[in-house]
Amino acid sequence: MRPFTSTIALEEARRRLNAAIRPITRIERVPLDEAAGRVAAADVTSAIDVPPFARSAMDGYALIAADSAAATRSTPAQLRLLDRIYTGQMSTVTIARGTCAEIATGAPLPAGADAVIMVEETARNADGNTVDIFAPASAGQHIGRRGADIAGGDRVVAAGDRLSPSRVGAIAAIGQADAAVFARPRVAILSTGNEVVEPGRALAPGQIFDVNRFTLGAIVSAHGGVPEPHHAAQDTVAALVAALDACTTADLIVFSGGSSVGERDLVVDAIAARGEMIFHGIAVRPGKPTAFATIGPDATPFFGMPGNPTSCLSNAYILLVPFLRALARLPPHTPRTVRAPLGSRIASAVNRHQFYTVRLRDGVALPAFKGSGDITSLSQADGYIEIPADQSVVEQGASVLVTLF
Ligand code: AMP
Ligand code: MG
């Protein structure tokens, strides 16, 4: 047994993590179908005007506004119909005084016209060749002018922008089929422990199913990374060093288990063989036995998460998510919070910043934390409250801020 000689405060752990962030520099091109959620690696500038032609914004008639200046329902202006213009087709006519053309929404405005009047304010005469206009149109009315949306030379997306659905749409509007984006960080995920078995297989006595590989993989996918799952490693220094060596192409390595102080907790020795420890032990609960290191000649960042599933996942939310998003150049995650009265008293560990899971029922926050080893401490909770290191009790009825998962 090698007890923790000391732990560092959560804020200090965050400071050291921030200092180790090296945002991804690899760039790739992805088809627009796959671009949503990615981070633009370069400005995207339009070579064209959008729309590329002046177009009607309504179904109606293209006309010269001055022809309708005195029009009313009882004294309509009567215009001669020259053409019917559908979308995707250029009209060859020129609208002159006293004439008009039927036009569909999105169809190109014919030459000479300076306004569109909507069909509801018109009536086609029985002869089929003339149209009554019942209201005055103003010049420019219901016309989308060329380049009104995007002008040639406009920047539609800036480097570093997250490609939301609407930004993907802006790139499509200018006719680009793909986008240059930053690569998603590759995150090697590996569980350690002689007892850990892949779900779907049979458990031998003394074994448990691997939880952490899947919770970590889900978190990594949700926050801009590509999880690269590895087979669980046995509890020997040699196995862990070999496991580290198998992860060297990753941008980030996340192990779970073996980070504590039991005699088989050998992650510390493996780090000593291959890298440099940045911290080991944080004054948080759950999740105290968490290590952070850099590995190999590239100083690949390494998280050594606790094996207990709730400790592992809690620290994944609190420490891994912000780190991964910064690597991926994504904006910080801002979970929703709600205020609620606490349903029953919570005693908190002294000198450890506690993340305590709660369930929300009828507007009340009910304690949901069972134990660090119980995944249901999280899976049956809606969020967590934070209890600072210097606070030992939160009384029933106190107003607490719940951060929702
Ligand atoms: P460790 O951090 O390796 O000392 O493990 C602490 C506890 O978490 C032990 O009860 C382990 O069996 C359990 N554990 C470790 N890794 C996992 C895992 N990947 N999935 C589920 N439980 C685990
Ligand atoms: Mg273990």
Side-chain angles (χ1 to χ4, degrees):
M1 287 274 184
R2 289 165 300 185
F4 281 106
T5 47
S6 64
T7 57
I8 59 171
L10 177 61
E11 280 322 305
E12 175 63 12
R14 286 184 165 138
R15 201 188 60 70
R16 293 190 198 178
L17 287 169
N18 286 340
I21 291 166
R22 307 274 178 276
I24 282 284
T25 54
R26 283 194 314 280
I27 290 171
E28 59 196 27
R29 288 200 84 85
V30 291
L32 280 197
D33 297 317
E34 294 162 24
R38 306 297 298 270
V39 178
D43 288 359
V44 180
T45 301
S46 182
I48 62 165
D49 289 332
V50 180
F53 49 87
R55 65 186 175 187
S56 177
M58 288 283 173
D59 289 332
Y61 293 90
L63 74 173
I64 295 170
D67 279 342
S68 64
T72 66
R73 210 147 261 278
S74 52
T75 57
Q78 196 174 76
L79 301 179
R80 194 157 54 84
L81 185 61
L82 296 186
D83 198 6
R84 292 198 171 82
I85 312 168
Y86 302 103
T87 51
Q89 151 199 336
M90 299 299 293
S91 176
T92 53
V93 304
T94 297
I95 304 300
R97 294 300 297 256
T99 68
C100 67
E102 188 185 322
I103 193 163
T105 303
L109 199 71
D114 67 358
V116 169
I117 188 141
M118 60 201 281
V119 70
E120 289 82 351
E121 290 177 325
T122 68
R124 179 80 59 83
N125 288 314
D127 62 12
N129 296 325
T130 58
V131 181
D132 283 347
I133 310 293
F134 297 131
S138 54
Q141 167 182 302
H142 303 323
I143 293 174
R145 62 178 176 75
R146 175 180 173 150
D149 192 0
I150 300 163
D154 277 359
R155 187 175 71 179
V156 297
V157 161
D161 278 351
R162 184 156 196 256
L163 296 181
S164 58
S166 64
R167 288 178 179 147
V168 173
I171 299 172
I174 65 167
Q176 226 174 268
D178 54 16
V181 297
F182 287 106
R184 282 184 297 206
R186 292 190 293 257
V187 184
I189 298 174
L190 184 144
S191 301
T192 72
N194 296 342
E195 77 282 28
V196 172
V197 174
E198 189 85 0
R201 302 177 77 153
L203 281 185
Q207 293 184 326
I208 53 156
F209 289 121
D210 189 351
V211 175
N212 300 337
R213 214 193 87 195
F214 298 93
T215 54
L216 290 170
I219 284 264
V220 164
S221 296
H223 293 279
V226 181
E228 293 183 351
H230 289 251
H231 288 298
Q234 295 285 301
D235 285 316
T236 66
V237 177
L240 294 181
V241 169
L244 278 180
D245 289 344
C247 294
T248 47
T249 58
D251 299 302
L252 174 61
I253 304 170
V254 186
F255 280 20
S256 70
S259 67
S260 189
V261 294
E263 58 189 320
R264 292 201 163 203
D265 294 322
L266 304 168
V267 163
V268 172
D269 295 333
I271 291 168
R274 284 293 185 269
E276 187 193 336
M277 188 72 89
I278 309 291
F279 63 72
H280 182 213
I282 313 174
V284 293
R285 182 162 191 256
K288 174 167 125 175
T290 293
F292 182 71
T294 55
I295 301 293
D298 295 335
T300 307
F302 170 96
F303 279 87
M305 293 299 199
N308 275 321
T310 278
S311 309
C312 175
L313 182 53
S314 181
N315 269 353
Y317 278 114
I318 288 145
L319 301 173
L320 178 64
V321 165
F323 189 87
L324 173 60
R325 292 183 72 93
L327 284 196
R329 300 173 181 266
L330 288 169
H333 182 51
T334 47
R336 283 200 307 127
T337 57
V338 292
R339 277 218 163 263
L342 188 62
S344 59
R345 184 179 194 267
I346 297 175
S348 171
V350 200
N351 293 331
R352 283 165 76 183
H353 187 106
Q354 185 148 3
F355 293 88
Y356 203 102
T357 52
V358 295
R359 237 188 314 278
L360 288 170
R361 290 293 175 273
D362 302 322
V364 176
L366 302 175
F369 189 80
K370 290 163 70 180
S372 302
D374 303 319
I375 186 62
T376 51
S377 290
L378 276 155
S379 66
Q380 295 178 3
D382 297 304
Y384 61 84
I385 65 171
E386 297 188 44
I387 309 171
D390 59 6
Q391 192 179 337
S392 58
V393 163
V394 190
E395 295 295 348
Q396 179 178 358
S399 166
V400 292
L401 187 68
V402 181
T403 302
L404 299 173
F405 291 125

